[in-house]
Amino acid sequence: SLGIFLLAGKSVHAALPARLANRLGTPESQGFNTYFLFGIGYGLASLGCTLPIFLVVVGSAIKSQGFSNGLLQFFSYALGMGAVLTSLALSIALFKGGLAAYLRRVLPYMGRIAGMLLLVSGSYQIYYWLTKGGLLA
């Protein structure tokens, strides 16, 4: 239903993040604490996406090939994630002017794009669990 809501051009707003951002200060007064808190917030927000994959990769390596191989998988995963985030941060730093101009043009459509992606992914989840997942069997 959120996908249909967004696809219809509506939006969802939460005041709490804006209030927390205002307590940290203005863009001109950013310091180490601001970046540190952003990193913590980013890490917590990304756990929903990365933690399940991380646990599968490292857990299966430990179970099937021992603790040392699991440790190797852990460090490989950390290096891979670090490389992705570093390249993303460098790309944004180097190309922020062009990226900002592109994002300003796309921004009015992002709610509808997000709604469409939610509908597609939700439809796939329903299809999967009804057919392959055995809920209809």
Side-chain angles (χ1 to χ4, degrees):
S1 62
L2 179 60
I4 295 170
F5 185 76
L6 292 172
L7 197 57
K10 308 290 186 193
S11 61
V12 179
H13 297 284
L16 180 63
R19 278 190 265 143
L20 290 175
N22 288 336
R23 294 183 121 208
L24 291 176
T26 64
E28 294 81 27
S29 66
Q30 292 176 353
F32 176 78
N33 290 342
T34 305
Y35 291 108
F36 181 74
L37 290 173
F38 174 80
I40 289 175
Y42 182 87
L44 289 173
S46 69
L47 278 178
C49 297
T50 58
L51 186 62
I53 297 168
F54 171 76
L55 291 176
V56 167
V57 168
V58 175
S60 64
I62 289 173
K63 183 171 170 65
S64 66
Q65 300 169 359
F67 181 76
S68 61
N69 197 295
L71 198 58
L72 178 66
Q73 290 290 335
F74 172 81
F75 285 117
S76 298
Y77 187 88
L79 287 173
M81 286 297 291
V84 168
L85 292 176
T86 301
S87 63
L88 181 63
L90 287 174
S91 298
I92 289 173
L94 294 174
F95 304 113
K96 68 180 175 183
L99 181 64
Y102 173 75
L103 289 177
R104 273 190 218 101
R105 285 184 289 162
V106 176
L107 188 61
Y109 309 105
M110 287 309 293
R112 289 195 165 119
I113 292 169
M116 182 183 63
L117 291 173
L118 276 172
L119 284 174
V120 169
S121 64
S123 298
Y124 174 75
Q125 289 286 317
I126 291 169
Y127 165 77
Y128 176 83
W129 285 109
L130 288 177
T131 58
K132 310 273 192 237
L135 290 178
L136 286 181

